[in-house]
Structures are given as structure tokens and as C-alpha cells.
Amino acid sequence: KAGVTQTPRYLIKTRGQQVTLSCSPISGHRSVSWYQQTPGQGLQFLFEYFSETQRNKGNFPGRFSGRQFSNSRSEMNVSTLELGDSALYLCASSPTETWAYNEQFFGPGTRLTVL
Amino acid sequence: GQQVMQIPQYQHVQEGEDFTTYCNSSTTLSNIQWYKQRPGGHPVFLIQLVKSGEVKKQKRLTFQFGEAKKNSSLHITATQTTDVGTYFCAGTTSGTYKYIFGTGTRLKVLA
């Protein structure tokens, strides 16, 4: 089985712009979660989707949003980019609805740099 | 807010020495998971513990979940250079169902 894929792998944007990141889960996995990883704040949970519904959300401002499509692929959007949004954005997929109680399979991440 | 701290933040060991990282939560956890992230890589799931006092072993790795379900530890016996990376714990807070990652412990193994 192919692993979790994320596109693009690297992205450079300027402040004020918006960005959309994409995540394709492992085939058959219906839960997709997103994380932000920075040296200062570590790994932080953004949100989780299952069957096109956002079921859990972390403590991030409304500029961070996401969605999931019927084929379980997910996108994450960040509007009005700030310098502090520079980070590695990771998505992970899980085969079951109880995603937080099961193994999560992480993708390679998208490295976002905001100038 | 709810936090999961890991100590130490960094650890350098000689190959063959043992290593332990501790994960301490400010609140009770329903479960604890451990992940390993190699430099430049992504987190890879190692194990999950759900019962109070649970101990699990994977070859040279021993994982424990505290009796109060607020702390956990990962012990590596006789480290190897392949053990290099950052080890994260993660868990779901009881009652509030928040999924939180620990701050991580970066391990370097000197050959």
C-alpha cells in the first residue's frame, strides 16, 4: 500500500497570502488529521476529519481551516499568512473512527516558509 | 492549559548505554502513544498503552504507563546509532478528549 502523500513538499509564501496544502491518506483510511510542527511549539494538533466531517479542532485561529472530500483526501488552508506560520505541516491518516486511540500514519509533511 | 512535558529535552549517549525519556501530563490521559521521528523525517508510531501500570516491550524498548495515567516512560537498553531521533509521547486527555503531543526528547547516539 502506498503511504500518506502530501503536496507540495515545500512552499514559500509572503505575509498576507493564503496557502492550500493537500493530503492523500492511505487507501481505505477515512480519518485524516493535521499537525503543525515548529522548533518552538513542537507538534500541535490542528484538526481531524472523518467522513468529510471535522470532528476535532485544536487551539488555532480561524485562519486555519480544512476540509475532507468524499475520497478521504483532505486539504488544509491558511489565510492571511503570518511569519509565525512557517512550519512543517504534517497530516496523518488512521484506518478507524477512533483515530486518537489507533496508530496514525504520518505523511512526509509540507515545509511552509513565510517571508 | 493542558500540557505534556517530556524530560530530558536532549540526551547524548555513547553507543551501548541505556536511555530513558519521561512523559508527564498535567491531566489524566486515556491512552499514551509513543512516536519516533528521525532527523528530517516524519513521526512513526511505536506503541500504545491504555491500562494503568501497563508495561510493554519491543526488543530493546520498554514502555510504561503510570498508575495514575499521568506519566509514561520509554527506556532503550544498549542504544544503537539507529536509535537516533526525537521521541514523542502523545495522548488523549480524559474527559476533554484533547489529543496532545509531548514536547519530545531528542536522542543522539555517539559511536
Side-chain angles (χ1 to χ4, degrees), chain B residues 22-41:
Chain B
Y22 299 91
C23 174
N24 299 301
S25 172
S26 59
T27 187
T28 305
L29 301 171
S30 301
N31 65 331
I32 195 87
Q33 298 175 334
W34 285 91
Y35 288 83
K36 175 185 178 182
Q37 185 174 20
R38 292 181 185 273

Side-chain angles (χ1 to χ4, degrees), chain B residues 26-92:
Chain B
S26 59
T27 187
T28 305
L29 301 171
S30 301
N31 65 331
I32 195 87
Q33 298 175 334
W34 285 91
Y35 288 83
K36 175 185 178 182
Q37 185 174 20
R38 292 181 185 273
H42 56 272
V44 174
F45 177 85
L46 294 175
I47 209 161
Q48 174 173 262
L49 306 167
V50 295
K51 297 177 185 175
S52 169
E54 189 171 10
V55 178
K56 286 189 177 180
K57 293 191 176 186
Q58 284 181 350
K59 297 182 180 177
R60 294 179 296 106
L61 277 61
T62 301
F63 304 84
Q64 286 189 306
F65 198 9
E67 293 289 343
K69 301 184 79 173
K70 294 179 76 172
N71 51 63
S72 180
S73 65
L74 157 59
H75 178 82
I76 302 178
T77 303
T79 54
Q80 300 174 358
T81 54
T82 53
D83 295 326
V84 164
T86 301
Y87 292 85
F88 292 97
C89 62
T92 307

Side-chain angles (χ1 to χ4, degrees), chain B residues 10-20 60 76-84 106-111:
Chain B
Y10 302 96
Q11 183 82 59
H12 293 184
V13 299
Q14 287 291 138
E15 189 174 22
E17 290 183 338
D18 292 356
F19 159 76
T20 304
R60 294 179 296 106
I76 302 178
T77 303
T79 54
Q80 300 174 358
T81 54
T82 53
D83 295 326
V84 164
R106 185 181 298 179
L107 173 64
K108 282 195 174 180
V109 180
L110 308 172

